[in-house]
Amino acid sequence: MPDLLIELFSEEIPARMQAQAASDLQKLVTNGLVEAGLTYATAAAFATPRRLVLSIEELNAESRSQREERKGPKVGAPEKALEGFLRSTGLTIDQLEQQEDKKGAFYVAVIDKPGRKAADIVAEVLEQTIRNFPWPKSMRWGNGTLRWVRPLHTILCILVGDDGAEVVPMDVDGIAAGNTTRGHRFMGPAAFSVTSFDDYEAKLKRAKVMLRAEERANAIWQDATTQAFANGFDVVEDRGLLAEVAGLVEWPVVLMGRIDDQFLDLPPEVLQTSMKEHQKFFSVRNPKTGRIERFVTVANIETADDGATILNGNQRVLSARLADAKFFWDNDLRVAKAGMQPWLDGLAKVTFHNKLGSQRDRIDRIATLARQIAPVVGADPDQAAEAAQIAKADLRSEMVGEFPELQGLMGRYYALVAGRDAAVAAASEEHWKPQGPSDIVPTAPVSVAVALADKLDTLTCFWAIDEKPTGSKDPFALRRAALGVIRLVLENDLRTNLIELFLTAIGEIPPEGWLGEYGLDVFYRGDRSEVVNPVVNNLLSFFHDRLKFYLKDQNIRHDVIDACIAMPGNDDLTLLVKRAQALQATLETDDGENLIQGFKRANNILMQAEEKDGVEYSFGADIKFAEDPAEKDLFNALDTAEAQIAPAMAAEGFGDAMAAMATLRAPIDRFFTDVQVNSESQIIRRNRLNMLSRIRQICSSVADLTKIEG
């Protein structure tokens, strides 16, 4: 069984495309081979800046022959039907066979497909793969029709068997397959032939090419940290940058340079961002001062002067870049020291949404909401409102204009320069968080208040103008905002009523932003779970859906969450989750699982009787009418459980309440085993049905168990 080696050698492939391209090459080729009848043992794909490589081991030498029987039209069918069948099979009428079934005789085409050699199949599959490769962007060059990410120079394609390596004969747009490749552009440019994958990788290494991306990344990190440690520094870890740089070089040469003293007072995040975005440099920190004082660059060539010329050129370019950053920083500091008012005034000229006013209008809404939230999270209301007023001021700064990813972080620096309290300044940075499932959640009270206000304003505003997420479309990142609110509330163990916050936020939205059918009249009907305004109801349902998504990672069942959502106070997320966790834990016990079955049986019998009799059995169960010992035991068990559940629920001791409810499992089981509910005596029957109603009432005070599946 031969091995297959493919290399597609081209000009430089963008680093961001390499990993996906290697995966696509493996998927397209292996799928094509399997569909053509070839199987294999293992496959592995690799990428360097100038080549995509696929190695397949133990490929079948040829595909199996196949015999296919295809049923055709009836004997005597119209001539056109027969002609169409013959065209589809490639046979003539004298080559068809006749068979019979209960409906009569019909034609059968027996098609023998002989096996094909692996080389023929590989050539066919690889040509289709190359011509239809899914590059995000591709180009044509010269007079050919082939499109590739960059000009494709050579195709290496060999089958390696016991008799040696055989070139797969194929040609794609004038590029004939062979068994040769080239190494490093400058340090190993000569062509060389290969006889196997091991031979290929070893010769590449001698020609100054590391084939494996993880090997290049490990070499870069090892050399960088070693050089930094030798000089008393630490390399700032950045796995994304490391992967990108490993895709820029075939033979990494790590060089460490010095940052000019005039730039050392810039915030370390500014230095790190500027070097990463513009130069792809790693930042090197002085652990004693915490400042970024040096950088690491990765060259793609070894030089006689050990990279001195490369390093000098990089330092000159870096100084020019950092001079721009310093210019932005100095200008921004002057505005910050003056109180940031020009930035705040400028936000009034920036439209947030044409139906929702400017960024300045939005900030005023957030400040009002943050002031109300502050007592709930333990923050000072004045500080929360102050933080909300300046939290987005840095959006008008020159530094954030150049590096948008520094928004919030620069706001903290500018707020401190403006003389604001540290808690207010921290909120400028943290109110954006969390921005994703792995992002940290703020814990400082002022930051939490502003972060909640910011996200709740976004959600209520876009709900009010009917810009909700639909399907996979979520242009305003509203799902992320809702998940952010959920994490802020739960991970800070906050007790807050979302509906009240929605109402406050809605009251701040300008009337012209609302859809006419909704209006601004929002009021309660009964408890908080019955708000009339459809915007609030729909938004709360959206939060419940997001909560299910969040709790899925905690293995809490969706039907358990539904059972708890059906209870009053379902806009208190912390209360809701605690109830769901307690119910989940109860259902994972034998008593809990069997209790659900007993509850459902009681509920079903009761519902059928109420429908049949046209009355509601919800009052009047009396132990004096109990005849069977199991019936009396259930009465006593219900009294005991109710006495425990009611105070536990009042104290939000859901675990204790669920445990008390679970004790009903055994007496309910005995009751249904020993007692016939539909007694001939109507008095006894009515009493027993009322007792079933009591079971439903007691269990439903903990959660809506009708929502539990199974």
Side-chain angles (χ1 to χ4, degrees):
M1 300 180 77
D3 297 336
L4 174 65
L5 175 61
I6 297 170
E7 180 203 68
L8 305 177
F9 184 83
S10 68
E11 294 297 322
E12 275 73 5
I13 305 168
R16 67 182 184 279
M17 298 183 186
Q18 292 172 19
Q20 185 60 48
S23 175
D24 288 339
L25 177 63
Q26 178 175 334
K27 178 181 178 181
L28 291 171
V29 172
T30 55
N31 285 354
L33 295 177
V34 170
E35 288 174 5
L38 296 180
T39 60
Y40 61 94
T42 61
F46 311 92
T48 79
R50 296 206 297 162
R51 68 200 79 220
L52 293 179
V53 179
L54 176 63
S55 172
I56 297 178
E57 295 183 352
E58 298 183 26
L59 187 70
N60 290 136
E62 62 179 31
S63 62
R64 292 181 178 178
S65 59
Q66 295 179 342
R67 183 179 179 87
E68 177 186 0
E69 289 190 4
R70 192 180 303 176
K71 184 177 180 180
K74 293 181 179 180
V75 175
E79 186 176 347
K80 287 188 177 181
L82 183 58
E83 289 176 354
F85 180 64
L86 292 174
R87 282 196 302 270
S88 69
T89 60
L91 302 178
T92 60
I93 190 168
D94 58 304
Q95 293 175 303
L96 299 181
E97 296 180 2
Q98 292 187 21
Q99 295 182 12
E100 290 191 13
D101 60 12
K102 61 182 180 181
K103 294 183 179 179
F106 58 91
Y107 289 108
V108 175
V110 179
I111 304 172
D112 291 317
K113 294 182 178 180
R116 300 172 61 199
K117 290 184 178 180
D120 296 334
I121 296 175
V122 168
E124 180 181 291
V125 170
L126 184 55
E127 180 176 358
Q128 289 297 316
T129 297
I130 293 173
R131 291 192 179 278
N132 300 289
F133 203 81
W135 292 109
K137 290 184 179 180
S138 58
M139 61 179 289
R140 287 192 297 111
W141 61 95
N143 297 320
T145 59
L146 179 64
R147 300 188 68 89
W148 201 248
V149 64
R150 297 289 186 271
L152 182 64
H153 292 315
T154 63
I155 300 171
L156 184 154
C157 187
I158 59 174
L159 282 168
V160 183
D162 295 336
D163 299 330
E166 168 197 356
V167 174
V168 175
M170 63 174 294
D171 183 289
V172 181
D173 213 41
I175 305 173
N179 64 349
T180 61
T181 186
R182 296 176 183 272
H184 193 279
R185 184 184 290 275
F186 304 112
M187 297 186 292
F192 56 87
S193 62
V194 299
T195 58
S196 67
F197 175 75
D198 291 339
D199 180 54
Y200 169 78
E201 186 172 18
K203 287 180 177 178
L204 275 184
K205 183 68 69 69
R206 290 198 291 271
K208 303 297 185 181
V209 175
M210 291 184 186
L211 177 61
R212 302 171 188 267
E214 61 271 20
E215 181 184 4
R216 300 195 298 273
N218 290 337
I220 292 169
W221 187 250
Q222 181 66 35
D223 288 353
T225 54
T226 298
Q227 290 188 36
F229 178 77
N231 289 274
F233 293 93
D234 296 327
V235 182
V236 177
E237 186 174 3
D238 190 328
R239 292 296 173 184
L241 178 59
L242 180 60
E244 183 176 6
V245 173
L248 297 174
V249 295
E250 289 193 318
W251 190 258
V253 178
V254 175
L255 305 170
M256 188 167 72
R258 185 185 300 273
I259 298 173
D260 196 287
D261 290 346
Q262 64 175 316
F263 305 121
L264 296 183
D265 289 333
L266 286 171
E269 297 88 355
V270 171
L271 289 170
Q272 186 177 350
T273 302
S274 181
M275 291 193 293
K276 173 182 177 178
E277 295 299 321
H278 293 311
Q279 304 301 125
K280 308 305 177 188
F281 291 171
F282 293 91
S283 298
V284 180
R285 182 192 296 114
N286 185 333
K288 297 178 181 178
T289 63
R291 298 191 307 183
I292 303 296
E293 298 183 3
R294 299 197 181 186
F295 67 90
V296 163
T297 183
V298 182
N300 191 37
I301 188 172
E302 296 174 348
T303 61
D305 61 357
D306 294 326
T309 302
I310 295 174
L311 201 55
N312 287 335
N314 281 333
Q315 288 186 171
R316 286 197 299 272
V317 175
L318 178 61
S319 292
R321 290 292 189 185
L322 295 184
D324 291 341
K326 189 174 187 305
F327 175 78
F328 299 144
W329 172 248
D330 291 341
N331 285 350
D332 288 344
L333 284 184
R334 284 191 287 271
V335 178
K337 289 176 181 177
M340 300 187 285
Q341 196 58 44
W343 293 341
L344 298 175
D345 294 340
L347 288 173
K349 302 174 184 178
V350 179
T351 300
F352 172 58
H353 191 282
N354 60 356
K355 293 182 180 180
L356 298 168
S358 67
Q359 283 283 7
R360 178 74 255 178
D361 297 328
R362 181 174 183 238
I363 287 169
D364 290 338
R365 294 196 301 269
I366 294 172
T368 299
L369 192 55
R371 183 180 290 278
Q372 174 169 331
I373 293 173
V376 178
V377 301
D380 178 84
D382 292 336
Q383 278 195 337
E386 178 188 357
Q389 289 288 346
I390 67 166
K392 299 186 184 297
D394 66 337
L395 294 177
R396 299 288 294 176
S397 68
E398 294 185 34
M399 188 68 76
V400 173
E402 177 70 12
F403 301 115
E405 60 268 36
L406 292 180
Q407 64 186 4
L409 174 67
M410 298 312 301
R412 177 169 62 83
Y413 280 110
Y414 299 144
L416 291 173
V417 169
R420 305 283 186 164
D421 185 87
V424 173
S428 295
E429 177 182 2
E430 296 179 341
H431 82 282
W432 296 101
K433 300 178 181 295
Q435 298 216 30
S438 59
D439 197 10
I440 62 170
V441 173
T443 57
V446 174
S447 298
V448 173
V450 181
L452 281 172
D454 179 37
K455 293 168 178 58
L456 287 169
D457 175 77
T458 298
L459 288 158
T460 52
C461 280
F462 284 107
W463 243 255
I465 62 174
D466 200 29
E467 290 283 359
K468 301 184 288 291
T470 55
S472 62
K473 296 181 180 179
D474 187 10
F476 302 109
L478 301 181
R479 293 188 179 97
R480 185 175 68 186
L483 187 58
V485 171
I486 289 170
R487 291 189 63 199
L488 283 162
V489 169
L490 297 182
E491 295 182 32
N492 284 288
D493 198 26
L494 301 179
R495 298 299 305 275
T496 183
N497 303 120
L498 285 181
I499 288 177
E500 293 179 4
L501 297 180
F502 293 163
L503 297 177
T504 300
I506 285 172
E508 298 298 316
I509 300 174
E512 59 269 21
W514 280 81
L515 292 178
E517 64 179 287
Y518 289 160
L520 285 172
D521 294 327
V522 183
F523 54 90
Y524 295 119
R525 181 177 62 209
D527 61 32
R528 285 195 316 276
S529 64
E530 297 183 272
V531 178
V532 170
N533 189 282
V535 173
V536 175
N537 283 334
N538 188 272
L539 183 53
L540 184 60
S541 295
F542 177 73
F543 264 89
H544 289 156
D545 288 340
R546 291 291 88 198
L547 182 64
K548 292 178 186 178
F549 176 81
Y550 174 76
L551 294 178
K552 182 179 180 181
D553 291 336
Q554 300 181 23
N555 297 317
I556 296 183
R557 291 160 34 180
H558 66 88
D559 57 333
V560 169
I561 303 170
D562 285 335
C564 298
I565 288 174
M567 303 302 290
N570 60 8
D571 63 331
D572 184 338
L573 298 183
T574 300
L575 184 75
L576 177 56
V577 170
K578 287 181 178 179
R579 190 192 296 258
Q581 289 170 337
L583 180 56
Q584 175 89 12
T586 300
L587 293 181
E588 290 173 353
T589 66
D590 289 340
D591 282 349
E593 183 67 26
N594 291 328
L595 173 65
I596 295 298
Q597 306 310 316
F599 167 82
K600 289 193 171 186
R601 184 175 180 183
N603 190 53
N604 289 338
I605 293 173
L606 186 60
M607 290 175 62
Q608 292 170 4
E610 289 178 336
E611 182 179 359
K612 176 183 177 181
D613 299 343
V615 297
E616 179 179 334
Y617 294 102
S618 58
F619 180 75
D622 195 326
I623 194 172
K624 70 182 181 181
F625 296 111
E627 295 181 334
D628 193 279
E631 192 174 0
K632 295 177 181 178
D633 289 345
L634 182 55
F635 265 106
N636 294 328
L638 290 172
D639 289 340
T640 301
E642 189 171 29
Q644 295 173 346
I645 290 173
M649 292 297 294
E652 298 179 3
F654 299 118
D656 293 338
M658 303 288 178
M661 182 181 70
T663 63
L664 295 174
R665 172 259 175 110
I668 289 177
D669 284 351
R670 286 195 299 274
F671 175 80
F672 283 120
T673 300
D674 299 346
V675 177
Q676 181 180 350
V677 175
N678 290 314
S679 170
E680 294 181 1
S681 168
Q682 289 302 309
I683 294 176
I684 301 300
R685 175 178 178 271
R686 184 165 55 250
N687 194 61
R688 290 173 178 171
L689 289 171
N690 278 318
M691 186 166 61
L692 296 186
S693 176
R694 193 176 174 201
I695 293 174
R696 181 172 65 182
Q697 177 186 358
I698 292 174
C699 292
S700 297
S701 68
V702 176
D704 186 351
L705 300 186
T706 62
K707 304 287 186 182
I708 301 299
E709 297 177 355

